[in-house]
Amino acid sequence: MEASVGVVHQSCPGYVSEPFATLVANRPDDDSYPAADFRTEWGPIFHRGRLDGTARVLVLGQDPATHETISRRILVGEAGQRLQGLLAKVGISESYVMLNVYLYSLYGQGGGNRQLKNQQIADYRNAWLDALLVNTEVTAVVALGDLATSAYTSWSTSRAPAASGLHLSSIRHPTYAEGAARGSGRPLAETTADQLANWNDHLPALAAHLTPEIAVDLTPYGTAWSAGDLAPIPERDLPPGTPAWWRDIASWAVRSGTDAQQKRATITVTVPKGARAWPPLKK
Amino acid sequence: MEASVGVVHQSCPGYVSEPFATLVANRPDDDSYPAADFRTEWGPIFHRGRLDGTARVLVLGQDPATHETISRRILVGEAGQRLQGLLAKVGISESYVMLNVYLYSLYGQGGGNRQLKNQQIADYRNAWLDALLVNTEVTAVVALGDLATSAYTSWSTSRAPAASGLHLSSIRHPTYAEGAARGSGRPLAETTADQLANWNDHLPALAAHLTPEIAVDLTPYGTAWSAGDLAPIPERDLPPGTPAWWRDIASWAVRSGTDAQQKRATITVTVPKGARAWPPLKK
């Protein structure tokens, strides 16, 4: 490899081993995911993290958002970095796997709850949970928000022997504070304090049910985010060749358009200012 | 897999086997690709097609364009479908591998020729060509345009024993006609006729140096594109979960912005009208 200069890069190997190769090949399309409730036109986005048996904790999120639709891995961006920070506190740096309740991004109101009863969607999700939780090294599950908690509970009640060995931390979603502030009119500072208090409540029990890979630091969160509360998303979590700024907290993808039709059809990807390393350009 | 309904999907497994895993890990960054000549900020895009030893023909393109930057595989869209059509004529449906002269998209004028002399870039490209052409099943190389021909010739002169067994078809790039019409002011119909005549010239020798996997049909192209001249890009060529319209001929990605700075920073992705399968939306 005489051409090798500079750093050695890592990347996510994808879905090459079983049962994940078969799960991805047999994913449900809009036959079971109705296009009224899901943005099926952007394709399914499956996971982030370890599928090689080294995961010690499963994180269950909700549905892929705008950035995830381009990066093809879930929980990237600021939500992802907040979550990485939480995992770091309980001693986990890379030994995790993340899954969502839904393969496709939710569209419109009510679909999130309504589609919890969709048996085809649940069967497929449960096949992933079986693969990741039955006879594996995972000892704890972190459910992000109510949908994730419901979906996990639905799995765990039907898999009583396997699930009995798993700790469940059901916590606020990493961007709960922003959503709650928008929805309620309460100040973001208040909803952020609520979210961090909720995370603090769950830290000790979660740590107690995990074998750490790095030093545990259960110093509670304050009432606002501090710089050290976020942790970077590892390069090895994203597909080969994807730019580093796809893992940064600076927003880089947005649904754009002047009406609902155009907005559903469009994602604009913009290199953040801090990642524009090119020389001055001629007009 | 009780959740399995509907079709079984195929996808590109990526860079899991050697030497490709190591080549991708050791890719050159902007240490050897200057950001004045290349859009390094979007990350490298490596290939499309078979890396499992089943390729019988190597296609050497130039550099990744806008669609490729999002799909993370080269020669998708209309250029890709024209190329698939050419390969189908000589009996190849899936047993190909495609590489570009450059990992990153060219920016500005002159860089394409100037950077042919960049030794670090050449060394890395040659490591890929070694992996794909030395002691493999590949019997023919299709070089798309002058840069590709130069890069291939540079490799083949230094690898005389291996290269002597390989046929070279040096043909017009699949979108030569559009570029030539824009650059010269000649009508697109004329430049298209030129391109198709050029492709016709090379079909018989290319077919003679390939073992076909499907029926060969050397009926020459006409003086304009016909419907049957294009062939679909196989689902198995793109990463898992990517939407089918990322392989269609309808354009879906564009660099947008009102000045050079913004245009370099922005790609807008739009679901083509024909792929908007969702129900009517409320405003």
Side-chain angles (χ1 to χ4, degrees), chain A residues 143-254:
Chain A
L144 307 177
D146 295 339
L147 289 179
T149 301
S150 295
Y152 176 73
T153 306
S154 159
W155 174 84
S156 65
T157 47
S158 67
R159 264 72 166 182
S164 65
L166 294 168
H167 172 75
L168 172 64
S169 283
S170 181
I171 68 171
R172 300 288 198 204
H173 190 277
T175 54
Y176 163 85
E178 284 76 4
R182 263 197 313 273
S184 68
R186 291 170 62 206
L188 178 61
E190 264 183 35
T191 56
T192 298
D194 282 359
Q195 171 176 337
L196 293 173
N198 169 272
W199 284 21
N200 283 334
D201 288 345
H202 290 87
L203 279 177
L206 179 59
H209 291 87
L210 282 171
T211 306
E213 54 179 334
I214 56 172
V216 174
D217 176 4
L218 296 182
T219 310
Y221 290 96
T223 53
W225 293 105
S226 314
D229 292 339
L230 273 60
I233 293 168
E235 184 185 38
R236 69 182 289 209
D237 283 15
L238 259 69
T242 52
W245 48 269
W246 286 13
R247 296 178 281 115
D248 276 354
I249 54 169
S251 173
W252 54 267
V254 67

Side-chain angles (χ1 to χ4, degrees), chain A residues 105-121:
Chain A
S105 181
L106 283 163
Y107 186 82
Q109 299 298 312
N113 282 308
R114 187 163 51 239
Q115 295 294 338
L116 275 181
K117 302 187 200 86
N118 183 318
Q119 195 57 46
Q120 287 181 314
I121 292 176

Side-chain angles (χ1 to χ4, degrees), chain B residues 73-96:
Chain B
R73 292 297 182 272
I74 68 169
L75 288 161
V76 301
E78 185 148 22
Q81 292 218 6
R82 289 176 180 177
L83 182 61
Q84 296 289 140
L86 175 79
L87 295 174
K89 277 182 177 285
V90 296
I92 300 296
S93 63
E94 301 204 335
S95 297
Y96 52 78

